[in-house]
Amino acid sequence: MENKNDTYEPLDELLESTGLKYNYIAKKMGVTYDALLRWRKSPNSLTLDKVVQLGKVTGLGTQAILNVMHEFPYEVK
């Protein structure tokens, strides 16, 4: 079972607002659930083509996803 605290909540909220299940989103994108989970944990790892694809699959559009990604706290280690 995944730990909700491990994912980026604003992105989860945006995706959940569509009413689509994560498994469905991943399948429609042609990726594994684990790939989608990695992006939910670290949105900055999404490539632009995957952002566009995610926007199309969810109906959210690219800009809505980019806006959420922009707020992701980048950590420098």
Side-chain angles (χ1 to χ4, degrees), residues 20-31:
L20 301 173
K21 302 288 185 192
Y22 294 131
N23 284 326
Y24 176 85
I25 295 170
K27 183 177 180 178
K28 286 295 190 180
M29 289 183 69
V31 300

Side-chain angles (χ1 to χ4, degrees), residues 7 9 15-16 18 24 27 42 61:
T7 59
E9 190 174 339
L15 295 175
E16 289 169 5
T18 67
Y24 176 85
K27 183 177 180 178
S42 183

